[in-house]
């Protein structure tokens, strides 16, 4: 078996004096598509921040197989200042990070790539729009373009389906499946019913992490993982609807 | 009319005009960044904290500008550091440095023997006393700032927009934050000569509000802010001369008038269409 591109070992992490993650272990392989589920406050976002290097764990090890691994990141839309004066094209280009010299003019190849990504995600002709003029769903697509323009080996998405209209949601998962052939994907969602049909494996985060090496989840399984998740069902997308449950006993 | 043309022959007025122009350039650019980052309150804190440096410089017999710059930079870095590392609420750390700076200034001025000249000039600005040395400093800083914007526009923009993402994408976010904080501090201190501590922020915010009526992109807001600031401050300066009123206050009045008129025109146009 190939080596994990990202290895989390015995991670203890949190904020100030409050520990959120306890003894978390996770291996991410090159073609993984991991759905991260769990209750609010269970540590999903904390786990992402540790992976992204935004939060240093109290203890434990985060190891990348290749220290130069490029990570694409799609944050929650809520964390963004929507009145910031920046246009769509600039947001997408910001995904290039430090890869290019800033004082050089933009090469046309990069611009072409940005426009191609916009077209792919239904944003044609919007390059000059201010970020604040977009709907929540359009903003999500812009952030997806920004996350993948640098051809990451690992794509990390925090609740990408919030605000996304149902039509695009299907497209979104289609695009993600295609991207998955080239990169590992870690996707956080509260919407377990929808994601379970698209992801390959599932990690349930509720203080600690339970890894489930398949995308079929059952009530019993969630119970044994101590993972109370609210299940929301949606119309047109194939999904499993699971009973709501409470297992704090 | 001859009065008006004569005015431009006086060297004190030529200096004032140049100072207004350069200060408007600096304030237009830096102000657009401040407003975009929603850090107007931080800038207020830096501005007022610099009064401590001015007072202390008077007491020790140093050039006031050096004292102001030192206090402004230290408070700008202090606010960044206090909120990033010490997890102090940002508005609290701003308020502490704001009032502490003013208090140090007041104590230092009180303890300085004799009359302290120009103190009013620091509070309300004194553009008519600008000398060639001030102009050279303003010109050098304008050039540095323009070069900085051309080279570092994108990383600064990306860090201001979404610093977490910028960090993940490999930009030196901390370094950029501290450098921009220092740039803002120096720019404000240089503008104090023209507008004074109490009025200076107007030049960093009102033209930007006007530009924001038309543009939603930082680059465009920057250049239009510079134009509005230049126009407003020259008009304000001339008005101040003929009405014999303080120049800083006159400039603010003009800038606000420009904003109000533009806003009205825009509203009417929107209503018609």
């Amino acid at each position: 078996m190939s080596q994990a591109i990202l290895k989390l070992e015995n991670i203890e992490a949190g904020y100030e004096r409050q520990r959120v993650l306890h003894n978390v272990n996770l291996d991410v392989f090159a073609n993984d598509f991991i759905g991260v589920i769990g209750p609010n406050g269970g540590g999903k976002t904390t786990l992402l921040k540790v992976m992204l290097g935004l939060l240093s764990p109290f203890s434990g090890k985060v190891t990348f197989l290749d220290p130069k691994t490029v990570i694409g990141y799609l944050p929650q839309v809520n964390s963004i200042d929507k009145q910031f004066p920046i246009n769509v094209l600039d947001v997408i280009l910001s995904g290039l990070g430090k890869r290019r010299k800033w004082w050089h003019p933009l090469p046309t190849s990069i611009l072409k790539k940005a426009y191609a990504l916009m077209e792919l995600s239904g944003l044609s002709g919007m390059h000059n729009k201010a970020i604040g003029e977009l709907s929540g769903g359009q903003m999500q697509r812009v952030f997806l373009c920004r996350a993948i323009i640098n051809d990451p080996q690992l794509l990390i998405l925090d609740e990408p389906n919030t605000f996304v209209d149902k039509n695009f949601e299907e497209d979104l998962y289609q695009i993600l499946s295609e991207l998955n052939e080239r990169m590992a994907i870690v996707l956080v969602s509260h919407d377990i019913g929808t994601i379970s049909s698209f992801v390959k494996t599932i990690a349930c985060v509720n203080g600690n992490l339970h890894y489930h090496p398949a995308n079929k989840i059952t009530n019993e399984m969630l119970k044994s993982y101590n993972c109370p998740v609210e299940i929301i069902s949606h119309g047109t997308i194939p999904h499993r609807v699971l009973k709501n449950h409470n297992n704090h006993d | 009319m001859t009065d008006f043309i004569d005015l431009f022959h006086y060297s004190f007025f030529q200096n004032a005009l140049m100072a207004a122009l350069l200060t408007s350039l600096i304030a237009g650019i830096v102000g657009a960044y401040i407003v975009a980052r929603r850090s107007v309150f931080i800038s207020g804190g830096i501005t007022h904290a610099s009064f401590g440096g001015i007072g202390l410089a008077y007491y020790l017999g140093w050039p006031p500008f050096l004292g102001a710059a030192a206090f402004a930079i230290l408070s700008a870095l202090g606010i960044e550091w206090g909120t990033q590392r010490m997890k102090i609420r940002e508005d609290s750390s701003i308020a502490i440095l704001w009032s502490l700076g003013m208090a140090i200034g007041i104590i230092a001025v009180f303890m300085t023997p004799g009359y302290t000249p120009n103190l009013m000039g620091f509070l309300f600005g004194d553009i008519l006393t600008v000398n060639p040395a001030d102009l050279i400093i303003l010109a050098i800083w304008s050039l540095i700032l323009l070069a900085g914007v051309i080279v570092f526009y994108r990383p600064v923009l990306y860090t201001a927009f979404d610093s977490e993402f910028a960090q993940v994408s490999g930009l030196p976010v901390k370094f950029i934050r501290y450098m921009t904080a220092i740039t803002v501090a120096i720019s404000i201190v240089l503008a104090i000569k023209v507008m004074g501590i109490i009025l200076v922020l107007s030049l960093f915010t009102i033209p930007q509000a006007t530009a924001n009526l038309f543009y939603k992109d930082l680059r465009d807001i920057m250049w239009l802010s510079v134009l509005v600031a230049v126009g407003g401050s020259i008009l304000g300066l001339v008005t101040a001369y003929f009405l014999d009123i303080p120049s800083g206050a006159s400039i603010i009045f003009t800038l606000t008038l420009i904003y109000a008129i533009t806003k009205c025109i825009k509203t009417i146009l929107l209503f018609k269409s």
Side-chain angles (χ1 to χ4, degrees), chain A:
Chain A
M1 195 165 182
S2 62
Q3 271 183 296
I5 59 165
L6 168 61
K7 219 172 167 55
L8 300 181
E9 290 166 283
N10 307 318
I11 300 290
E12 307 274 331
Y15 308 92
E16 294 187 21
R17 260 167 245 110
Q18 203 199 344
R19 198 178 57 180
V20 181
L21 292 179
H22 174 62
N23 195 25
V24 164
N25 292 281
L26 181 68
D27 287 355
V28 182
F29 293 93
N31 284 310
D32 270 355
F33 193 156
I34 305 175
V36 179
I37 58 171
N40 287 335
K44 297 190 296 282
T45 299
T46 309
L47 177 71
L48 292 198
K49 288 196 169 168
V50 170
M51 287 179 163
L52 292 162
L54 291 170
L55 183 71
S56 319
F58 300 148
S59 65
K61 254 171 66 182
V62 181
T63 331
F64 285 94
L65 181 62
D66 171 9
K68 286 191 193 132
T69 302
V70 177
I71 305 177
Y73 172 43
L74 188 150
Q76 288 190 27
V77 171
N78 292 338
S79 65
I80 298 294
D81 177 2
K82 287 160 197 78
Q83 284 190 314
F84 194 95
I86 188 169
N87 64 37
V88 167
L89 183 63
D90 270 329
V91 174
I92 294 175
L93 291 175
S94 75
L96 293 165
K98 59 174 180 181
R99 226 188 186 184
R100 46 179 290 263
K101 300 248 186 303
W102 296 107
W103 45 94
H104 290 184
L106 273 177
T108 37
S109 60
I110 283 180
L111 274 178
K112 267 190 192 153
K113 191 170 175 187
Y115 283 107
L117 283 173
M118 274 187 263
E119 204 178 322
L120 180 78
S121 42
L123 294 167
S124 303
M126 291 194 181
H127 58 277
N128 247 338
K129 282 218 165 192
I131 194 81
E133 296 173 296
L134 305 182
S135 70
Q138 289 169 328
M139 221 179 279
Q140 284 283 23
R141 300 178 210 185
V142 173
F143 291 148
L144 181 65
C145 294
R146 174 178 75 164
I148 59 179
I149 193 170
N150 211 9
D151 299 318
Q153 284 111 40
L154 174 61
L155 177 61
I156 294 181
L157 310 127
D158 199 352
E159 305 275 8
N161 45 352
T162 339
F163 301 121
V164 168
D165 48 283
K166 291 304 151 209
N167 292 331
F168 183 67
E169 190 163 1
E170 287 176 67
D171 293 347
L172 172 71
Y173 289 117
Q174 186 57 41
I175 293 171
L176 290 181
S177 303
E178 281 164 27
L179 288 171
N180 189 218
E181 287 164 20
R182 286 176 275 143
M183 60 189 76
I185 299 179
V186 176
L187 183 152
V188 162
S189 181
H190 58 271
D191 189 351
I192 162 184
T194 307
I195 72 162
S196 65
S197 345
F198 297 93
V199 300
K200 291 176 184 163
T201 58
I202 284 177
C204 182
V205 180
N206 186 18
N208 40 29
L209 184 147
H210 288 280
Y211 186 71
H212 185 67
N215 66 351
K216 292 196 179 72
I217 6 177
T218 63
N219 239 352
E220 287 63 42
M221 195 185 102
L222 288 169
K223 225 174 220 169
S224 70
Y225 291 166
N226 189 23
C227 197
V229 189
E230 244 180 72
I231 294 148
I232 303 162
S233 69
H234 293 294
T236 53
I237 299 148
H239 62 280
R240 270 166 222 91
V241 179
L242 301 170
K243 210 165 62 204
N244 211 345
H245 59 281
N246 193 354
N247 54 348
H248 283 295
D249 42 19

Side-chain angles (χ1 to χ4, degrees), chain B residues 167-190:
Chain B
Q167 199 180 333
V168 171
S169 72
L171 290 178
V173 167
K174 258 188 207 141
F175 177 74
I176 291 171
R177 279 178 160 244
Y178 283 122
M179 286 313 285
T180 47
I182 291 173
T183 307
V184 168
I186 293 176
S187 303
I188 288 177
V189 167
L190 286 174

Side-chain angles (χ1 to χ4, degrees), chain B residues 27-40:
Chain B
I29 293 172
V30 173
Y33 170 79
I34 290 174
V35 171
R37 257 204 72 187
R38 297 178 187 266
S39 51
V40 174

